[in-house]
Amino acid sequence: MTSKSKPLPLELPSPRSATLSLSNAWRLRLKGLALPVLIILVLECIVRIGWLPSYQMPAPSEIALTLADLAEGALWKHISASLLRVLLGFAIGAGLALVFAAWVGLSREAEAWLEPTFAGLRSIPSLAWVPLLLLWLGIDETSKIVLIAIGAFFPVYLNGVAAIRDIDRKLVEVGQMYGFSRTRLVRRILLPAALPGLFTGLRSGMSLAWMFLVAAELIAATKGLGYLLSDGRETSRPDIVLAAIIVLALLGKLSDGILAGLEKRFLAWRDTFNGQSAED
Amino acid sequence: MSEHLLDIRVERKTFASTTVLQNIHLQLQPRETVSLLGPSGCGKSTLLRIVAGLEKDFQGELDSRAGEVAFVFQEPRLMPWLTVEQNIGFSADNHYDKAWVAQLIDEVGLTGFADALPKALSGGMAQRVAIARGLYSRPDVLLLDEPFSAVDAFTRMKLQDLLLELAERHAIALLLVTHDVDEALYLSDRVLVMDNRPSRIRQELAVQLAHPRDRRDPLLAQLKALSLTELQRAHVI
Ligand SMILES: Nc1ncnc2c1ncn2[C@@H]1O[C@H](COP(=O)(O)OP(=O)(O)OP(=O)(O)O)[C@@H](O)[C@H]1O
Ligand SMILES: [Mg+2]
């Protein structure tokens, strides 16, 4: 129809404002880079001058060399081992959490049965599971993946339940007015309305999955980035430790970036406060 | 009595221990417009929710011969993740009738906004989308709970005329809750003034004026004086 083909003025920024906002985005990115670059430069100087002993704090350039060195050899093996564990553990933990969150969030009956148990389990600091998992499952992959799944479970579960319970009753009533069935209500109103909260949960679940990966690999592993960390400590190689930290940071940022990208794509409809720009 | 669309009898409606509505009898004829006026908290919204079937826990009976009944809430209540078009066709999921939606968009004066998200709409525009959504299912009865209370006076007048025009064109009966005496008189064939809790219908005013009406009609002014007196007696003002 005519109304469909007519674009909104709001959605078509003029070329001028487009280039302007592009350069703005770059300026923001440069602002973000300023502090890390400064710190690296200062560190390099301090280590070169000899204020910090290089067997404790290697110069950034030295770390870069170590990283390049590792990249020619074992680094990819460690990365793929860690990545596989995180993804598997996260998929299992977050998947189960979404199922239980939906169940508890939608049904008071399920809440009465399940919520106290989850509240109890949640109050166990997750790392306390480590010895038990090692005893039960041994030191191979299973125990690590289960630990990561436990770590990812709770943030996703908690945020999921909260997201469902925070849904505006008034929107739900619109569906009831149309006589929507339960599944239709979930599909058309509850799920989209809960999506922002679910994403929050998934993102913090992902970051906890990385944390528990390191914990698991520090304790018992023959490969993985956590193993690299403890290997560097045992062989007194702070450059290896720092290189592993940097790789962990990059991978964490990458996985979060992917989730953030999905969030931005699916939640473009949100009418949220985005902070004030310096020009305001 | 002529053939009524809706016949509502509420013997008693209580929340916890307070009785909100008592002995209410209300009929709505086809194509008729009826307004409910009354003090805040007297149970107008509750009555409307009973008619809509959203409130099932009451003593009394609801006899409806109307096919579709649609509700326009006090707030637009649009789904923020759907476009204007998808919101209007909300009740039909994703296979809504595009031509009908496009016609409704034109009729409520939002041509060109089919693909806009609710966050890009003003309050008045959002309320127009809500009205279009109410009309989508081709209802026999449209229930409106203070539909224009959040928009400015000029937009309100425009929306009132729009509502009358659409109701006339699509042969819809309107049951409307409002706090605005002028609005009630301008729109309605009958105005029902409600008492304070427990509420009954205190008085019924017939507005025997043909449409389209002139807002400055002396009869409207007369009726306004009458209903203000009545509202004063009901301790609304
Ligand atoms: N869900 C509820 N639980 C308990 N009490 C309620 C509930 N909904 C409404 N009430 C009570 O019922 C009474 C009538 O409420 P209702 O919303 O119908 O009033 P109203 O006439 O629409 O008022 P207003 O003009 O301010 O919108 C109020 O006193 C309110 O406290
Ligand atoms: Mg009300």
Side-chain angles (χ1 to χ4, degrees):
Chain A
M1 296 296 111
T2 50
S3 54
K4 248 207 76 91
S5 55
K6 250 183 228 169
L8 277 181
L10 287 167
E11 289 175 352
L12 270 187
S14 68
R16 208 183 84 86
S17 76
T19 51
L20 223 145
S21 71
L22 201 71
S23 74
N24 251 345
W26 276 107
R27 214 176 328 147
L28 282 181
R29 227 162 269 173
L30 284 181
K31 280 180 192 170
L33 273 178
L35 197 57
V37 169
L38 189 73
I39 291 175
I40 288 177
L41 288 179
V42 169
L43 263 179
E44 185 79 34
C45 292
I46 288 179
V47 177
R48 286 281 162 95
I49 295 171
W51 286 357
L52 273 176
S54 67
Y55 62 85
Q56 277 186 346
M57 179 65 225
S61 55
E62 202 181 318
I63 299 171
L65 284 178
T66 309
L67 210 50
D69 220 28
L70 280 171
E72 309 219 314
L75 185 61
W76 304 110
K77 182 186 81 181
H78 295 305
I79 288 182
S80 59
S82 290
L83 211 52
L84 202 66
R85 286 170 185 150
V86 162
L87 292 183
L88 212 57
F90 176 75
I92 294 170
L96 282 176
L98 286 178
V99 170
F100 279 109
W103 198 4
V104 170
L106 292 175
S107 148
R108 293 221 162 268
E109 185 73 15
E111 185 185 14
W113 282 99
L114 297 176
E115 179 53 29
T117 308
F118 282 134
L121 289 176
R122 197 173 69 237
S123 61
I124 303 171
S126 307
L127 289 179
W129 292 103
V130 172
L132 207 56
L133 290 175
L134 290 177
L135 276 177
W136 283 350
L137 302 170
I139 57 167
D140 62 353
E141 291 301 297
T142 323
S143 62
K144 296 185 189 66
I145 288 169
V146 170
L147 185 66
I148 293 167
I150 292 175
F153 181 88
F154 283 107
V156 178
Y157 169 79
L158 284 178
N159 279 293
V161 173
I164 293 172
R165 289 293 162 87
D166 277 350
I167 295 173
D168 192 351
R169 180 185 57 80
K170 291 178 171 167
L171 290 186
V172 180
E173 243 176 38
V174 175
Q176 285 167 344
M177 182 65 221
Y178 289 121
F180 277 14
S181 67
R182 212 173 156 72
T183 49
R184 201 157 161 219
L185 211 57
V186 169
R187 192 163 48 83
R188 297 282 286 154
I189 301 180
L190 300 181
L191 185 65
L195 215 51
L198 291 182
F199 263 108
T200 310
L202 287 176
R203 285 177 73 177
S204 56
M206 182 58 102
S207 82
L208 274 191
W210 281 106
M211 190 165 123
F212 281 77
L213 169 89
V214 173
E217 289 183 342
L218 273 178
I219 293 160
T222 51
K223 58 182 192 241
L225 292 163
Y227 164 76
L228 207 57
L229 285 172
S230 70
D231 188 48
R233 185 188 63 80
E234 277 162 16
T235 55
S236 302
R237 290 279 304 273
D239 53 330
I240 291 187
V241 174
L242 282 163
I245 288 178
I246 289 169
V247 174
L248 278 169
L250 288 177
L251 288 176
K253 179 69 192 163
L254 186 73
S255 56
D256 189 58
I258 291 172
L259 284 178
L262 285 175
E263 186 177 16
K264 207 170 163 188
R265 199 178 117 91
F266 285 115
L267 302 179
W269 50 267
R270 272 195 305 183
D271 196 7
T272 48
F273 176 64
N274 292 322
Q276 282 171 324
S277 72
E279 285 81 23
D280 286 350
Chain B
M1 282 254 62
S2 61
E3 195 75 342
H4 58 258
L5 262 184
L6 286 176
D7 182 298
I8 310 119
R9 265 174 221 279
V10 182
E11 264 126 52
R12 186 187 289 271
K13 166 71 197 168
T14 54
F15 281 115
S17 57
T18 51
T19 304
V20 177
L21 298 169
Q22 201 168 16
N23 290 330
I24 293 204
H25 183 205
L26 172 67
Q27 279 192 339
L28 194 65
Q29 315 297 332
R31 317 189 71 147
E32 188 184 31
T33 300
V34 174
S35 291
L36 293 169
L37 268 180
S40 175
C42 77
K44 304 179 295 296
S45 299
T46 308
L47 183 58
L48 224 51
R49 291 167 53 83
I50 288 176
V51 176
L54 285 172
E55 194 79 65
K56 297 201 170 74
D57 176 29
F58 69 99
Q59 290 168 35
E61 55 188 319
L62 170 64
D63 172 25
S64 168
R65 294 181 195 169
E68 279 299 320
V69 177
F71 205 125
V72 174
F73 298 94
Q74 186 166 352
E75 328 76 21
R77 300 199 187 181
L78 304 179
M79 306 298 145
W81 54 89
L82 297 179
T83 62
V84 165
E85 191 178 60
Q86 292 165 329
N87 263 298
I88 294 176
F90 184 70
S91 58
D93 285 359
N94 291 323
H95 24 268
Y96 51 86
D97 179 349
K98 288 219 166 202
W100 176 225
V101 169
Q103 185 189 335
L104 285 172
I105 289 178
D106 289 342
E107 282 182 12
V108 297
L110 287 174
T111 313
F113 283 91
D115 296 323
L117 284 170
K119 70 175 176 181
L121 302 178
S122 73
M125 287 159 79
Q127 198 60 352
R128 279 184 273 168
V129 176
I131 293 174
R133 179 177 64 188
L135 295 172
Y136 176 83
S137 54
R138 304 180 197 266
D140 297 319
V141 178
L142 190 57
L143 308 169
L144 302 107
D145 192 357
E146 303 180 36
F148 311 132
S149 58
V151 296
D152 67 282
F154 302 119
T155 312
R156 186 181 309 168
M157 288 186 197
K158 277 197 187 149
L159 288 176
Q160 286 164 357
D161 288 328
L162 174 73
L163 183 66
L164 283 177
E165 196 187 310
L166 292 171
E168 172 68 30
R169 190 176 318 150
H170 301 293
I172 302 170
L174 303 176
L175 180 58
L176 173 98
V177 167
T178 176
H179 281 140
D180 181 342
V181 181
D182 293 312
E183 178 171 276
L185 294 169
Y186 180 68
L187 293 177
S188 321
D189 301 311
R190 285 186 293 142
V191 177
L192 308 178
V193 181
M194 291 176 73
D195 242 336
N196 226 327
R197 266 178 301 161
S199 314
R200 298 167 303 110
I201 292 173
R202 185 184 173 86
Q203 207 198 8
E204 177 175 326
L205 294 167
V207 187
Q208 278 152 346
L209 265 181
H211 286 285
R213 291 174 179 168
D214 184 347
R215 290 178 195 274
R216 292 156 299 189
D217 198 302
L219 182 62
L220 287 180
Q222 254 175 40
L223 285 168
K224 183 175 181 182
L226 206 64
S227 45
L228 285 178
T229 318
E230 212 49 52
L231 286 166
Q232 204 155 27
R233 288 216 191 104
H235 303 289
V236 181
I237 44 179

